[in-house]
Amino acid sequence: MPNSADTALPRPVAAASSGNRGGFARRFDAWAAARHPAGGSTRLTHRNVYILPTRVGWFFALLLLVLLVLSINYQLNLGYLLTFLLAGSAMMAMHVTHNNLRGLTLTAKPPEGLVHQSQSARLSLTLQGGMRERWGLALRPDGTMTSPPATPIPSPKKKKRNKPRVTPLPWLSRKRRAAPSFLAPLGGRVGVPTMGAITYTDCARNSDTPLTLIWTPAQRGLLPWPLLTIESDYPLGVWTAWSRWRPQGDLLVLPAVEHPAPPLPPARPSPGNGPALARGGSETEGVRPYRSGDSARHVLWKKFARSDELVSRDTAQPQAQAELWLDFSALPAALDTETRLSRLCAWVLAADHAGLPYGLQLGTQQVAPATGAAHRMQCLRLLALHPGPLRAGRA
């Protein structure tokens, strides 16, 4: 049975996506959300910045333990010196990594333009570094893959032997192949700020850094901002500091636009509402100059006696006018609800682009024919919230 206008409610996917995560991660997010409430802007402090060793950091700690055991076993004074020098460098790197995020201010801005389901949306942020320069910041919306895309395997037909690529500080390739800008003096590759949906940036001292995140909504409706993660493993990559924050406010996600969409439906007549006039009625609409063949009963003789101007009454009756209606129920029954909404969304944008007056009929809700940006937004909002406000479950 095909879906009707009041069925086929899309299921929220935000809660489902978070359900795939471990129970510990969900409990940690709930605990962190209480310490880091939603808002239009936030300032990262010691209460909401967390730090742990990376995989390389744990390996580095194991290496220090082996060096210490060897130094004790063989009574190597230089071994002691090297071990404690490396351990001290790692402890200093922990403070540098944590301070790289602490004191950073993030401000969220509403997205510009229309946001459609399953299409990439651009979320705008502004970073304020304060009195300190920030290096190697990585930001991503919730659900973004943190691993780099797979490197294509070379074809076996090629006999040319590729030399292994030696990158400085190779442990920093745990999350990205393109090194951030703070590795430029060491020969790292610079100029690739975004890989996938993860965005890398630096933040100068006492300046505002605009940033754009790519986010793909999985459903339409009134959705909360995605949970944002900001992290950094500057300077050595043995520690990673991160914070999670959800900006306050909702994003209106419109249905996906059908492409290619069929032509607009033909206009249908609407009796009694048009300005077109058909002569021969009895309703007086005004006066007009006398025309040969007019009835003597319609001539205004008193006006003729005063001004010697022969005029007649202008009688008219309303005539049907063709109006463009975009009707949900008029679409083929074989189409499901989401496909119908996608087609109506495409038709609304097409009619608005052509400057045609159009109306929308969606179940029991109706929008009278009109034009303009406000009318377009009213129709699109009605399509986005059909058959009711859809609010995804917050993770």
Side-chain angles (χ1 to χ4, degrees):
M1 179 181 296
N3 297 328
S4 64
D6 299 325
T7 60
L9 177 65
R11 298 180 180 179
V13 297
S17 61
S18 61
N20 298 330
R21 308 173 60 201
F24 174 78
R26 292 197 301 271
R27 288 194 296 269
F28 174 81
D29 286 343
W31 174 78
R35 299 166 58 91
H36 203 171
S41 63
T42 185
R43 188 173 186 269
L44 304 184
T45 64
H46 64 281
R47 288 180 51 84
N48 46 47
V49 175
Y50 316 100
I51 186 169
L52 281 176
T54 62
R55 295 180 185 177
V56 175
W58 290 112
F59 179 78
F60 186 73
L62 178 62
L63 177 63
L64 291 179
L65 180 61
V66 172
L67 288 176
L68 180 61
V69 171
L70 291 177
S71 301
I72 295 174
N73 187 37
Y74 293 100
Q75 294 296 315
L76 299 176
N77 294 332
L78 292 179
Y80 286 117
L81 178 62
L82 177 62
T83 301
F84 291 117
L85 179 62
L86 293 178
S89 300
M91 296 306 296
M92 289 300 298
M94 178 182 67
H95 292 281
V96 174
T97 302
H98 190 271
N99 290 336
N100 196 41
L101 290 186
R102 187 167 59 90
L104 183 67
T105 301
L106 293 83
T107 304
K109 298 180 180 180
E112 298 180 358
L114 303 178
V115 180
H116 292 274
Q117 177 185 359
S118 302
Q119 295 182 5
S120 297
R122 304 176 69 88
L123 308 180
S124 299
L125 296 175
T126 301
L127 306 183
Q128 297 175 345
M131 300 300 295
R132 183 183 293 114
E133 293 182 346
R134 319 286 176 164
W135 303 96
L137 304 176
L139 292 93
R140 57 184 172 88
D142 192 23
T144 302
M145 296 294 294
T146 58
S147 58
T151 304
I153 302 176
S155 174
K157 296 180 181 180
K158 298 181 180 180
K159 296 182 179 180
K160 185 178 179 180
R161 199 170 187 179
N162 296 329
K163 296 181 180 180
R165 299 181 61 182
V166 180
T167 57
L169 304 181
W171 55 82
L172 288 176
S173 62
R174 173 177 62 91
K175 293 183 181 178
R176 51 190 179 271
R177 295 291 181 184
S181 56
F182 66 82
L183 289 180
L186 302 178
R189 293 192 302 160
V190 188
V192 188
T194 304
M195 181 175 59
I198 309 177
T199 303
Y200 301 96
T201 186
D202 301 329
C203 188
R205 179 186 309 171
N206 295 327
S207 66
D208 296 345
T209 302
L211 192 66
T212 301
L213 299 181
I214 304 301
W215 175 61
T216 303
Q219 72 170 38
R220 61 178 175 85
L222 198 61
L223 307 181
W225 271 74
L227 191 63
L228 305 181
T229 300
I230 177 171
E231 58 187 352
S232 174
D233 53 11
Y234 172 82
L236 298 181
V238 295
W239 301 93
T240 176
W242 79 96
S243 182
R244 293 169 68 80
W245 172 59
R246 186 190 300 276
Q248 191 176 22
D250 295 319
L251 303 177
L252 183 64
V253 180
L254 306 177
V257 179
E258 184 181 17
H259 182 76
L264 290 171
R268 62 190 186 190
S270 178
N273 296 329
L277 303 176
R279 307 202 173 275
S282 59
E283 182 183 358
T284 301
E285 297 291 341
V287 295
R288 57 172 176 79
Y290 174 81
R291 296 174 185 173
S292 177
D294 287 346
S295 174
R297 292 179 303 173
H298 294 163
V299 176
L300 300 179
W301 298 107
K302 293 182 180 180
K303 187 176 182 62
F304 174 73
R306 290 194 302 266
S307 61
D308 293 336
E309 181 182 0
L310 193 60
V311 294
S312 300
R313 294 185 179 91
D314 189 12
T315 58
Q317 65 181 10
Q319 186 181 14
Q321 179 195 20
E323 293 180 341
L324 177 59
W325 280 94
L326 308 179
D327 193 350
F328 182 91
S329 60
L331 294 176
L335 301 179
D336 60 8
T337 299
E338 294 304 315
T339 305
R340 296 188 191 187
L341 294 177
S342 298
R343 180 166 299 182
L344 290 177
C345 184
W347 281 350
V348 166
L349 296 178
D352 180 76
H353 181 72
L356 301 176
Y358 60 94
L360 179 64
Q361 181 75 37
L362 193 61
T364 58
Q365 297 176 307
Q366 186 180 41
V367 180
T371 58
H375 176 69
R376 178 196 63 190
M377 201 60 210
Q378 181 183 6
C379 295
L380 292 178
R381 185 179 183 87
L382 189 62
L383 294 175
L385 301 181
H386 175 79
L390 307 182
R391 189 176 295 272
R394 298 176 184 264

